[in-house]
Amino acid sequence: MYDVVIIGGGPCGLSTGLALQEKGLSYVIIEKEAIVNSIVNCPLHMTFYSTSDRLEIGNIPFLSQDVRPTRTELLKYYRLVTERQELAIKCYQKVNAITKNTASFTVHAEDRNYNSIAYEAKNIVIATGIFDTPRQLGVTGENLLKVSHYYKEGHLYYGQHVTVVGGKNSAIEAAIDLYRNGAHVTLVHRGETVLEGIKPSLLLDMRNLLKKGNIDFYPNSSIAAIDETTIQIHSSEGTVTLPNDFVFSLIGYQPNISLLQSIGIQTDFSSLVPSFNPETYESNIKNVFLSGVVTGGITNRVYIEDGRFHGLKIAEEIAQRLSVVPSKY
């Protein structure tokens, strides 16, 4: 019997574990893949827009070579925090269900060998983020192997016809990197422009590439269908069919609604923001708390920068309820 089971081993899940540990509460973090897996899925050579001090957890300093850290530096930092603070985390265990008992919860997990593992706890913290559940285009051919919702690097796509769908930072970064690696890039966006609301570091490059016609841009457009060799686009000029080898659908992500709803957590229909108390981060289900990016639904208003502090309030609330005397680590 744990005081708390945390579902999700991202930065906000780790931060919650550190806060619980500081309060002397027993806990375990269950992560279905590697720690901070959302960062693992970022482009290999990505530099984050957030400064290193705003990505720190547990008051443990994070010093990067430049003001804004790279993916490699950030992964190393979170590994070091996990190791040095001896965080209790179980990786590569997927949570399939949560059941409510009389005075506790049972979290049903499964490891890579399909062995069932059950964890019992007085409280649950869901820190699953949103990046494991990409939003879907809802078109024929979306399930083809050439379609991906994550972008790693451009070298593999040299000389290939690649379509990028989306208009935010991740899509723009992918389109620029693909062009620089020799791909024939088409960018499809439902909005009128991609030059608003993106990182300043991307703006000049993207403006120049579009002006010179280095990237084919279809504004006010959407994907109609995808097959093995072509892609169809609903554009302002009608339906256009283009040769296509690969598609990156980078239109955003959303919380794992099925897990939340399975235990009765209410979510807003349009924003997918779950119901919770902003003072304690307790959901509408007693003793079930929400931490990190999952609290923002699809609004893109919650990031690591602010989500890393949720665990402090959660730990304080649970410690008071359990009347735990803090212990030093």
Side-chain angles (χ1 to χ4, degrees), residues 107-303:
V107 177
H108 304 274
E110 184 179 76
D111 67 14
R112 286 179 292 179
N113 297 316
Y114 305 105
N115 296 310
S116 297
I117 308 166
Y119 298 90
E120 191 170 2
K122 301 170 188 174
N123 301 272
I124 301 291
V125 176
I126 298 177
T128 49
I130 63 173
F131 297 108
D132 287 338
T133 313
R135 300 177 70 180
Q136 301 296 305
L137 292 168
V139 300
T140 301
E142 185 170 15
N143 294 325
L144 291 172
L145 292 177
K146 72 174 191 175
V147 180
S148 176
H149 298 279
Y150 302 95
Y151 179 77
K152 282 289 187 182
E153 62 174 336
H155 174 77
L156 297 173
Y157 308 98
Y158 169 78
Q160 303 297 298
H161 290 89
V162 184
T163 299
V164 178
V165 186
K168 295 186 178 179
N169 289 316
S170 59
I172 304 308
E173 285 180 310
I176 293 172
D177 191 55
L178 284 162
Y179 168 75
R180 288 176 175 167
N181 280 275
H184 306 289
V185 183
T186 299
L187 180 62
V188 179
H189 180 42
R190 64 182 179 180
E192 185 174 350
T193 180
V194 293
L195 300 178
E196 296 178 358
I198 62 174
K199 299 175 186 177
S201 58
L202 301 174
L203 183 58
L204 181 60
D205 281 344
M206 197 64 203
R207 181 185 288 123
N208 289 337
L209 291 173
L210 293 178
K211 184 177 181 180
K212 295 177 181 178
N214 298 129
I215 291 177
D216 295 327
F217 179 45
Y218 285 83
N220 301 314
S221 301
S222 61
I223 303 302
I226 305 168
D227 64 27
E228 286 79 1
T229 58
T230 67
I231 188 166
Q232 293 183 8
I233 302 171
H234 284 313
S235 73
S236 56
E237 301 175 357
T239 301
V240 179
T241 301
L242 301 175
N244 175 262
D245 299 303
F246 295 96
V247 178
F248 287 97
S249 176
L250 305 176
I251 58 175
Y253 306 88
Q254 66 183 43
N256 184 344
I257 295 300
S258 60
L259 178 64
L260 299 179
Q261 293 180 341
S262 70
I263 56 173
I265 295 178
Q266 300 168 355
T267 57
D268 180 79
F269 177 77
S270 58
S271 68
L272 301 186
V273 173
S275 175
F276 66 94
N277 182 335
E279 297 300 320
T280 63
Y281 291 92
E282 184 175 27
S283 71
N284 58 285
I285 303 300
K286 185 175 176 59
N287 297 328
V288 178
F289 298 80
L290 303 170
S291 178
V293 181
V294 70
T295 62
I298 59 174
T299 65
N300 293 320
R301 294 177 182 172
V302 182
Y303 303 93

Side-chain angles (χ1 to χ4, degrees), residues 18 20-27 85-86 326-329:
L18 289 169
L20 294 167
Q21 186 169 282
E22 184 67 24
K23 291 291 184 181
L25 296 162
S26 63
Y27 72 95
Q85 301 305 115
E86 298 181 346
S327 60
K328 294 182 179 180
Y329 284 82

Side-chain angles (χ1 to χ4, degrees), residues 15-136:
S15 180
T16 301
L18 289 169
L20 294 167
Q21 186 169 282
E22 184 67 24
K23 291 291 184 181
L25 296 162
S26 63
Y27 72 95
V28 65
I29 304 170
I30 305 173
E31 166 56 47
K32 71 176 185 177
E33 294 188 48
I35 63 170
V36 294
N37 197 61
S38 60
I39 297 172
V40 173
N41 284 325
C42 289
L44 295 181
H45 305 295
M46 179 176 177
T47 296
F48 285 80
Y49 188 62
S50 300
T51 56
S52 56
D53 60 304
R54 303 191 70 178
L55 297 170
E56 295 175 351
I57 58 175
N59 295 318
I60 300 169
F62 175 25
L63 301 178
S64 56
Q65 182 172 339
D66 295 316
V67 175
R68 292 178 170 81
T70 64
R71 169 186 176 274
T72 299
E73 290 176 315
L74 196 53
L75 289 174
K76 182 177 180 180
Y77 170 73
Y78 289 128
R79 288 199 307 270
L80 288 173
V81 170
T82 301
E83 180 180 356
R84 291 178 179 177
Q85 301 305 115
E86 298 181 346
L87 285 171
I89 183 167
K90 306 289 186 180
C91 292
Y92 298 100
Q93 293 187 11
K94 181 181 179 180
V95 172
N96 293 321
I98 305 170
T99 55
K100 179 74 172 69
N101 308 317
T102 303
S104 66
F105 298 89
T106 301
V107 177
H108 304 274
E110 184 179 76
D111 67 14
R112 286 179 292 179
N113 297 316
Y114 305 105
N115 296 310
S116 297
I117 308 166
Y119 298 90
E120 191 170 2
K122 301 170 188 174
N123 301 272
I124 301 291
V125 176
I126 298 177
T128 49
I130 63 173
F131 297 108
D132 287 338
T133 313
R135 300 177 70 180
Q136 301 296 305

